[in-house]
Amino acid sequence: MSSAATELVRLLTVRGETLAVAESLTGGLVAAEITGVPGASRVFRGSITAYATELKHELLGVDATLLAQRGAVDPQVAGQMAAGVRKALGADWGIATTGVAGPDPQDGQPVGTVFVAVDGPLTGRAGSAGGGKVEALRLNGGRAEIRMESVRSVLAVLLERLAGEQTGNERAQDTERNGGF
């Protein structure tokens, strides 16, 4: 269990928000990292490991034409996976991983090509960034290293998003305390 997962569970608990995970190349490692944290059941709704390309469409609602044209290793696919798991499992936040861990290239993408995505609320909190975010990664190493770095990266992207909102909330509260100046 990582400090990132522990901090995520803490922040989501404080905020009263929930999380769902969609995984491909990580095969359940993100969910395992989160559920390794005591108290994760307060915030973790569940996960869908859609390893097969057609399951990304069937279970997560990823556009079938996009999958047919671009393959599963694509930034739009990652974004749609995060939005799809969020909707499917009724969570405030959805995160997703898709990519090539190796040993062979996939969908014309080299080993180490990974996309991680976050999808969250658009409105609500003061200073909320909301919406979706996808990050492209080019990772080195063997299959296990690429998968573990993908886990670390998707947790870091969500943490950054939540910390940014937290900072925005603190600024908004400070502005209220100081008469709007």
Side-chain angles (χ1 to χ4, degrees), residues 146-161:
I146 290 169
R147 293 174 76 216
M148 287 313 299
E149 186 55 35
S150 299
V151 171
R152 284 189 288 275
S153 295
V154 76
L155 295 177
V157 171
L158 180 54
L159 257 181
E160 180 182 292
R161 190 58 161 280

Side-chain angles (χ1 to χ4, degrees), residues 25-167:
L25 85 149
T26 50
L29 293 172
V30 176
E33 193 73 12
I34 293 164
T35 58
V37 177
S41 60
R42 291 190 293 266
V43 299
F44 188 67
R45 296 277 303 153
S47 65
I48 296 174
T49 301
Y51 209 66
T53 298
E54 68 272 11
L55 292 180
K56 290 171 181 64
H57 169 69
E58 293 168 13
L59 299 177
L60 298 169
V62 175
D63 182 80
T65 304
L66 174 66
L67 287 167
Q69 291 175 346
R70 306 274 260 313
V73 183
D74 181 82
Q76 283 183 272
V77 170
Q80 288 185 20
M81 287 173 65
V85 78
R86 180 178 170 223
K87 181 179 179 186
L89 301 185
D92 296 301
W93 294 91
I95 59 176
T97 62
T98 187
V100 186
D104 301 313
Q106 179 187 334
D107 298 331
Q109 298 285 357
V111 172
T113 302
V114 175
F115 298 98
V116 297
V118 171
D119 189 74
L122 286 171
T123 58
R125 301 182 182 279
S128 175
K133 176 177 178 142
V134 178
E135 282 200 11
L137 308 172
R138 297 284 182 250
L139 304 175
N140 296 315
R143 182 174 173 80
E145 293 165 301
I146 290 169
R147 293 174 76 216
M148 287 313 299
E149 186 55 35
S150 299
V151 171
R152 284 189 288 275
S153 295
V154 76
L155 295 177
V157 171
L158 180 54
L159 257 181
E160 180 182 292
R161 190 58 161 280
L162 291 171
E165 285 194 1
Q166 197 70 25
T167 302

